[in-house]
Amino acid sequence: MGVDLMEQGPDGAPLPGASPPQGPPGGSTSGGASTLRRNLASLATSQVITWVLALVWTLVVPRTLGPADMGLMVIALSLTSLVAVAFSFLTRDFLVREMVREPDGARRLISNALLTRLFVVPLLFLASFLYGSVAGLDGRAMTVMYLMAGAAACLMLMEPALAGFQATERMQYIAFADVGNKSLNTLGAVLLALGGLGVVAIASFTLAVALGVLLATLFWLHRMLPLGVRPANVASAMRRGRSYWFVGVFYVGYLWADGFMLGVMAPEEVVGWYGAATRLFTTMMFVATIVATASLPRMVAAHAHSDDQLYAVARQPFEWVAIMGLPIGVGLASIAGGLVPLLYGQEYIESVVPLALLGLAIPFMYVNIIVAQVCIAAGRPRVIGWLLAATSLVNIVANLALIPFTQDHWGNGAIGAAAGLLLAEVAQMTLGLVLVGRRLLTISTMARICGASLAAAGMALAIWLAQDVPLIVQIPLGAVVFLALIVVLKVPTPPERAFVVATLRRLARLPVRPARRRS
């Protein structure tokens, strides 16, 4: 949200049933737990850096712009994201799956994706014009709309390159693009905000950074995989990818519909409150994003052998996100009352309740992300597509009812938008587990998730009892209580503990010394 556009074997042995991913054209992939650990470390390192940058951005930019201008940027991003996905027929998930299965066709697929997306760019500006005309936006607001449409176009053209890096397990390039985008955006936005240059200058800088990162990713991609200038079989690729496009449309539709609908039914200031809450909410999606990004190529490769192998490989990331989503989501909801005024100031105090509701949605969304990746890896995009269609319907109906109700009763339609998203996530998880849960939810898995749920409840109780102390005490207290409880309840397995230690050593670049043998 805001101006950030980069936010769409534990024990050293091979993962159960996994085979090494197919190598990229012109290179090779080692496979195994070492590759997984390296990719997770690259993505996690970039996330730590971008977290710090997001904190700096949050402390300065929203306070300077105010809720109304924040709301304008949220509306612009919601609209252009919806249009971009609606006409991006060759989606990132489709590209990743096809390139893992048929590495020799990667060059043609990426060229096709870039070509089709180039024709969509004018539609982003047309949609901005039509919305501005209907909403009666002034010249300043329309300038912001057009600038953000240009930034969204750069992101849309960047996705085929990111798909190439993901399919070949070159996650470091995804990390470079993410860190570069957020570093430059944070630095520029903070300086422009402190200089009093306003939302137009920040939107202009966002477009400039998006263009620069786009050129960098295309350059890296061309060095790894030289692109052809005459794409072939575009119509065939679009036919094969239409089910994945169906998924993408409904996913982004329900994810961004609340911000778009809120912009129609409530003042821009209310959209700004919701934008502040959703920025913190989307920042917390890092665990599911990292695990899903690193796991998808492996799940695709496993499915090439059998369905049983796919679910054997998918069970581990499923358990990881289901367990880790609980403390993150419950913790965010527990500290929302102190976090919002600390980061944004009293001007955004109405963001507290929406943020708490969005925090409660995080555990459900984490599970939904992995379930969707399993369906994509299994070549069943229509299943997840219909699931997302049903979820979108729930979200739209809930927003139509809850936004006006909360706006009329409490002057804060953002509460209704957040509640609608929470209901949609619960509905999607319920339906998703009905479809694939019997293959993922073993007795051991359910026992571990129940243990993590009890630990998250204990963490929330500890934070509530310490509500009168500063956040700097509440947060580590909650973390210590959760970690202690999951150890007592035996939630982590020995291989997972070993994997965490090995990954932390890699992040810290500590040498791993072999144990000395006793004489």
Side-chain angles (χ1 to χ4, degrees), residues 36 171 290-300 313 317 320 370:
L36 177 62
M171 306 303 175
I290 289 172
V291 174
T293 301
S295 301
L296 180 58
R298 293 169 176 270
M299 289 192 284
V300 173
V313 171
W320 284 355
I370 293 297

Side-chain angles (χ1 to χ4, degrees), residues 53-263:
L53 296 170
L55 177 61
V56 174
W57 191 97
T58 300
L59 289 172
V60 176
V61 178
R63 294 169 182 261
T64 306
L65 291 182
D69 281 347
M70 273 287 292
L72 177 60
M73 298 195 74
V74 171
I75 293 170
L77 277 175
S78 300
L79 176 66
T80 53
S81 296
L82 286 169
V83 175
V85 172
F87 293 97
S88 295
F89 299 106
L90 299 181
T91 67
R92 179 170 170 177
D93 285 336
F94 169 74
L95 294 171
V96 171
R97 188 174 191 276
E98 290 296 302
M99 284 188 280
V100 171
R101 294 177 67 240
E102 298 181 18
D104 292 339
R107 181 182 294 107
R108 182 180 64 254
L109 272 172
I110 294 177
S111 298
N112 288 346
L114 287 171
L115 178 66
T116 56
R117 288 166 185 248
L118 279 172
F119 288 104
V120 177
V121 171
L123 297 178
L124 298 176
F125 294 95
L126 177 60
S128 299
F129 170 77
L130 293 176
Y131 179 86
S133 300
V134 172
L137 299 182
D138 58 20
R140 174 175 167 275
M142 286 304 302
T143 300
V144 173
M145 294 290 292
Y146 290 138
L147 290 170
M148 298 308 293
C154 292
L155 176 62
M156 182 179 64
L157 294 172
M158 196 188 308
E159 278 210 322
L162 299 180
F165 302 142
Q166 184 179 352
T168 55
E169 298 199 68
R170 309 289 180 85
M171 306 303 175
Q172 66 270 30
Y173 291 108
I174 299 177
F176 293 157
D178 192 26
V179 172
N181 176 73
K182 291 178 179 176
S183 300
L184 293 172
N185 260 319
T186 298
L187 177 62
V190 167
L191 292 177
L192 292 170
L194 291 176
L197 298 180
V199 67
V200 174
I202 293 175
S204 301
F205 191 78
T206 300
L207 172 57
V209 171
L211 181 59
V213 176
L214 169 63
L215 295 176
T217 54
L218 293 178
F219 173 74
W220 295 332
L221 179 68
H222 186 69
R223 291 185 62 186
M224 182 185 78
L225 182 70
L227 299 178
V229 294
R230 289 181 291 181
N233 301 323
V234 176
S236 174
M238 291 175 65
R239 283 195 299 271
R240 288 184 287 121
R242 60 191 174 190
S243 296
Y244 298 85
W245 168 81
F246 184 63
V247 172
V249 167
F250 281 106
Y251 174 71
V252 174
Y254 99 84
L255 195 61
W256 289 92
D258 45 3
F260 179 76
M261 295 175 69
L262 189 63

Side-chain angles (χ1 to χ4, degrees), residues 328-350:
I328 293 172
V330 174
L332 182 63
S334 300
I335 64 172
L339 187 63
V340 168
L342 175 66
L343 294 180
Y344 295 116
Q346 290 298 322
E347 193 175 13
Y348 286 87
I349 197 66
E350 297 293 342

